[in-house]
Amino acid sequence: MRFLRPTLVLFAVFALALFATPSAQLRGPAAGTIRGRVELRRPPQAQEPRPNVAGFGTVNRGEAPDRLRSVVYLETAPRGAFEQAESTRATMNQRDETFVPHVIAITTGTMVDFPNSDRIYHNVFSLSKTTSFDLGRYAAGRSKSVRFDRPGIVRVFCEIHSHMSAFILVFSHPFFATTDAEGRYRIDNVPPGTYNVLAWNEGNASEPASAAVLSGGVAELDITVR
C-alpha cells in the first residue's frame, strides 16, 4: 500500500475538522432578548371625550385612550439593523371618537391605515416635522393611509374633534416594543452586545439604562419613566 502524499493527508485532516465543527459555531453568536417592565411614576390622565348633541341622554360608550402603554427601544441600533426590510402596514382606528390604539411604534417605510369606524366624519392630520399630512374629511366605513419614511415622533389629531389625539413613533431599526397592559415589554432578535435602552410615554422619555445581551441569552431590565 502506498503512503498518501503529505498534501493529501493535510487536506483530509482539514476536511474532517471542518465537518466536525458544531453548526452553532458556523452560524456565529445567537441573538438574545431584552425584557422587563416599565413603571410610570406619573401615570397620564385620560382625556374625557367632548360632549356632543347626538350623545345627550345616552350612555357614553367611549373607550378612554390607553395612555399607560409605553414604547421601549434601543438608543443606538446594532450593526446591520438598517438593512432594507420589507414594507409593512399598521392600523390606527377611529372608534368612539378615539384613536385606537393611542400609540403605535413602526419602522420607516410602514403604511398606516386610518379607518373610520364611527358613524360621523373624521379628519386625521398632523403638523409634525417628521411627517405632516391632512387626510381631509371622510365618512364612516372609509379609510385613508399615510406612508412614514422618516424616523421620529408624529403627533396625530382630528380636525373635527379636538379631544382626539395619538402618537406614532417611527424607527429606522426594528429593536423596539410596546408594553402590554401590565407594563411588560420584550425585544427579541437582539445581537449580543451592550445597549442603552429607553422607555417613552406621552412625550416623556426615561434615562438610558444599560442592558448586556449574551449570545442566546435574556437580559432583564426594568425601566422607570419619571
Side-chain angles (χ1 to χ4, degrees):
M1 180 181 296
R2 295 181 179 179
F3 292 102
L4 294 175
R5 294 180 180 178
T7 302
L8 295 179
V9 174
L10 291 175
F11 178 78
V13 172
F14 173 77
L16 290 174
L18 177 63
F19 287 109
T21 302
S23 58
Q25 295 181 10
L26 294 177
R27 288 195 301 267
T33 296
I34 302 175
R35 69 184 183 188
R37 189 168 185 167
V38 175
E39 178 187 0
L40 302 178
R41 288 293 176 88
R42 298 181 181 179
Q45 300 298 318
Q47 186 174 355
E48 291 296 329
R50 182 178 59 186
N52 59 76
V53 176
F56 288 163
T58 63
V59 178
N60 180 18
R61 296 178 300 171
E63 179 182 352
D66 191 356
R67 300 171 185 268
L68 298 180
R69 294 184 187 273
S70 304
V71 177
V72 184
Y73 58 96
L74 302 189
E75 184 176 35
T76 303
R79 182 180 302 177
F82 302 96
E83 296 177 357
Q84 186 65 30
E86 295 183 1
S87 298
T88 58
R89 298 189 80 97
T91 299
M92 179 170 279
N93 207 343
Q94 299 162 88
R95 185 173 64 241
D96 296 328
E97 296 185 22
T98 303
F99 286 112
V100 182
H102 176 66
V103 58
I104 60 174
I106 60 175
T107 54
T108 51
T110 298
M111 186 77 71
V112 177
D113 300 317
F114 295 92
N116 183 359
S117 298
D118 280 333
R119 294 181 295 176
I120 55 178
Y121 278 81
H122 283 299
N123 185 347
V124 184
F125 77 98
S126 177
L127 300 177
S128 301
K129 294 181 179 180
T130 300
T131 303
S132 61
F133 59 90
D134 189 335
L135 300 183
R137 300 191 177 195
Y138 53 104
R142 295 190 59 192
S143 179
K144 295 188 177 184
S145 306
V146 178
R147 180 185 170 96
F148 295 84
D149 291 318
R150 297 175 58 189
I153 300 175
V154 179
R155 190 79 187 269
V156 181
F157 299 95
C158 176
E159 189 271 336
I160 304 175
H161 309 98
S162 60
H163 58 275
M164 292 178 60
S165 67
F167 289 95
I168 299 176
L169 275 66
V170 188
F171 294 93
S172 57
H173 62 78
F175 302 102
F176 58 84
T178 303
T179 59
D180 61 16
E182 303 298 326
R184 295 183 295 257
Y185 74 92
R186 181 186 180 100
I187 304 176
D188 291 318
N189 300 317
V190 181
T194 301
Y195 304 95
N196 283 335
V197 185
L198 294 93
W200 179 97
N201 179 274
E202 291 293 303
N204 298 315
S206 68
E207 293 294 327
S210 180
V213 179
L214 302 179
S215 177
V218 177
E220 302 282 352
L221 180 65
D222 293 337
I223 306 174
T224 299
V225 179
R226 300 183 186 279

